[in-house]
Amino acid sequence: MLIVMETNATKEMVAKVCQEIEKMGLKAHPMPGPTRTAIGVTGNTSQVDSDRITAQSGVKEIIHVTKPYKLVSREFYPENTVINLGHDVTIGGKEVVIMAGPCSVESRDQCLAIAEKVSNSGAKVFRAGAYKPRTSPYSFQGLGEKGLKILDEVRKEFNLLIVTEAIDTETLDLVAHYTDIIQIGARNMQNYSLLKKTGRQPKTVLLKRGMSATLEELLMAAEYILNEGNRKVILCERGVRTFADHTRNTLDLSAIPFVKRMSHLPIIVDPSHGTGRRDKVLPLSRASVAVGADGLLIEVHHDPANALSDGAQSITPDTFEQLMKEIGAIANVMGRSV
Ligand code: PEP
Ligand code: MN
């Protein structure tokens, strides 16, 4: 349920309505917007006495939202959510934000070498996993806290923002301490205790689509985070499992315009995991920007043949430079900038 307030409703009026909602045993989420203040109501709203709410001063109308996702829906918040990531970088607005770096933090030298290259080419965010969710327990699992400290050095040295994955509730606080954006990976998209915990902390969350998740399931996962109070969520299309075996996953670019209609949250594309193939990253990056993605998550490695994870889908810094030039031109056509 969504309560739309009059444009001239005061803060006190909004607070009073929130109090009434809480008294009914429901949760109130005031959402001030540029054109109106709305109050999202979650919980079991079926028994709510609407008259008790419309009787409050400042209330314009009540909208019943039938979708299972509420706080992430366009109905609840018609404007695009624009998140300030820090360092004057915003996502969800005009900017197309490029996040690039290796799959894993392998060493200090490796991260500094790649960070220098991607930063020179114009990336704003450095990606690399310190905790890696690997299919095989015998594969490289990441450097853990040592890796997080290397990422901290990258931030300081190159003024890059950092995105890195949290794989469990035990290490979430530690990851949050070191990073600017917390990545929740495809394998954890429906790890509800992890989602709830990321919702109770203030850092921005990058939520990747599960390998077999529908768009509604992706939005419901984001709803868990917003419902705990954190509205800074970026969604990420990274390919889903299909019968097609010419790529590692099938990158579902139709998800972008669909999600844009369903939700106000920013959405980016990861063409690296989406294809699993280095030579397909550039064409699908072009297409992602053309279809309206708010950013890209790209795996870049200076020595892909010897990468400890995902070398086959990692592009070289030279290709990345080319990619930046091309998507800059496409972004311009779309009235956006990189
Ligand atoms: C990654 O970004 O390196 C990763 C493990 O991604 P995903 O969760 O999409 O597989
Ligand atoms: Mn990877």
Side-chain angles (χ1 to χ4, degrees):
M1 195 168 90
L2 184 70
I3 302 166
V4 182
M5 301 296 290
E6 302 280 4
T7 21
N8 58 0
T10 62
K11 272 191 189 145
E12 291 71 29
M13 289 174 185
V14 174
K16 179 79 195 339
V17 175
C18 290
Q19 261 176 27
E20 280 304 311
I21 292 161
E22 306 278 345
K23 267 195 232 159
M24 296 176 193
L26 302 164
K27 217 162 161 178
H29 309 261
M31 300 187 285
T35 52
R36 63 171 192 188
T37 287
I39 304 166
V41 183
T42 54
N44 183 2
T45 56
S46 56
Q47 303 298 323
V48 172
D49 175 4
S50 300
D51 292 345
R52 217 171 119 187
I53 296 167
T54 38
Q56 300 293 320
S57 30
V59 174
K60 187 175 174 215
E61 60 174 329
I62 297 179
I63 299 173
H64 291 277
V65 178
T66 46
K67 308 250 169 42
Y69 49 89
K70 312 280 181 195
L71 300 172
V72 305
S73 72
R74 273 274 174 213
E75 283 103 318
F76 263 51
Y77 195 75
E79 323 290 334
N80 289 333
T81 285
V82 180
I83 304 169
N84 187 350
L85 299 174
H87 298 189
D88 287 329
V89 181
T90 59
I91 191 160
K94 220 174 155 226
E95 258 179 282
V96 177
V97 179
I98 310 305
M99 311 182 185
C103 178
S104 304
V105 179
E106 297 170 9
S107 70
R108 183 175 176 275
D109 287 351
Q110 171 242 17
C111 275
L112 292 177
I114 299 169
E116 181 175 17
K117 298 277 190 191
V118 298
S119 165
N120 286 341
S121 298
K124 300 282 170 58
V125 184
F126 186 74
R127 66 139 292 147
Y131 295 91
K132 295 303 301 177
R134 303 305 300 279
T135 305
S136 163
Y138 309 118
S139 300
F140 176 61
Q141 303 285 311
L143 296 182
E145 187 171 3
K146 188 173 161 220
L148 295 175
K149 289 185 172 151
I150 293 171
L151 293 174
D152 202 30
E153 265 192 71
V154 167
R155 177 195 294 101
K156 290 182 181 130
E157 181 89 18
F158 300 103
N159 202 34
L160 285 162
L161 293 159
I162 303 294
V163 58
T164 195
E165 182 164 351
I167 56 169
D168 51 37
T169 49
E170 288 83 354
T171 49
L172 176 66
D173 290 341
L174 189 65
V175 172
H177 172 74
Y178 283 103
T179 197
D180 300 289
I181 305 168
I182 301 164
Q183 176 172 320
I184 301 296
R187 290 159 190 78
N188 268 319
M189 190 203 81
Q190 286 177 315
N191 180 339
Y192 298 118
S193 46
L194 183 58
L195 295 175
K196 284 196 245 178
K197 203 169 172 192
T198 59
R200 290 195 289 266
Q201 60 76 51
K203 293 273 168 90
T204 301
V205 182
L206 174 64
L207 177 64
K208 299 187 91 173
R209 181 179 180 182
M211 345 203 154
S212 61
T214 63
L215 297 185
E216 189 170 290
E217 285 161 348
L218 171 64
L219 292 177
M220 294 302 286
E223 185 83 14
Y224 267 89
I225 304 172
L226 271 78
N227 190 38
E228 295 296 329
N230 186 355
R231 294 200 205 135
K232 297 193 287 182
V233 176
I234 306 165
L235 305 170
C236 180
E237 163 58 38
R238 47 78 73 205
V240 287
R241 274 256 165 108
T242 68
F243 58 85
D245 58 4
H246 60 289
T247 48
R248 179 179 178 185
N249 293 294
T250 298
L251 190 64
D252 178 11
L253 289 183
S254 74
I256 310 308
F258 274 95
V259 165
K260 289 256 162 221
R261 200 182 61 200
M262 296 157 88
S263 174
H264 52 84
L265 295 174
I267 179 162
I268 68 168
V269 175
D270 170 355
S272 307
H273 292 86
T275 62
R277 295 179 51 158
R278 181 180 313 135
D279 61 331
K280 298 296 176 281
V281 171
L282 182 52
L284 285 155
S285 296
R286 297 182 193 120
S288 302
V289 176
V291 85
D294 294 302
L296 296 172
L297 184 69
I298 310 274
E299 287 188 340
V300 180
H301 202 289
H302 62 326
D303 183 13
N306 290 304
L308 295 183
S309 59
D310 287 348
Q313 65 193 36
S314 300
I315 59 172
T316 61
D318 284 349
T319 309
F320 181 68
E321 196 182 342
Q322 175 70 18
L323 181 151
M324 289 298 282
K325 283 189 191 133
E326 295 190 15
I327 59 158
I330 296 169
N332 285 343
V333 172
M334 310 284 298
R336 307 184 76 169
S337 59
V338 172

